[in-house]
Amino acid sequence: MALISEAIGRPVRFEEVTLDQAIEQMKAAGYPPELVEAILPAQADMLDNPEPVNDEVERITGTPARSFREWAVDHAADFR
């Protein structure tokens, strides 16, 4: 959140929800229950077990991956 705050020049906040809350919110928003129940737990697991950093972006595109800071600056307007 700090890098997004820095990119847009103001503080931002977020409200963390439990996995069960997120699943219920996604279902309430109309997402298919089987999709939500399959994908969200896997995404939540990445918080404790992130994917390793590798060179796949550069290998595939010929251009090195950008940092999250660079991405946040490039997308600052999306957060305003």
Side-chain angles (χ1 to χ4, degrees), residues 2-58:
L3 293 176
I4 294 173
S5 291
E6 182 182 308
I8 65 173
R10 66 177 174 81
V12 294
R13 68 177 196 87
F14 73 98
E15 189 172 321
E16 191 167 343
V17 298
T18 67
L19 176 57
D20 289 339
Q21 289 171 318
I23 288 171
E24 290 310 311
Q25 289 173 2
M26 296 288 287
K27 288 178 184 179
Y31 289 90
E34 58 279 356
L35 179 70
V36 172
E37 291 168 8
I39 292 177
L40 281 187
Q43 290 178 330
D45 183 59
M46 286 186 220
L47 293 172
D48 293 324
N49 302 298
E51 292 292 320
V53 174
N54 60 48
D55 65 349
E56 288 298 301
V57 170
E58 185 171 8

Side-chain angles (χ1 to χ4, degrees), residues 3-4 7-8 66-77 79:
L3 293 176
I4 294 173
I8 65 173
R66 296 181 296 163
S67 69
F68 185 75
R69 179 185 305 277
E70 292 168 319
W71 178 88
V73 168
D74 289 348
H75 292 87
F79 296 99

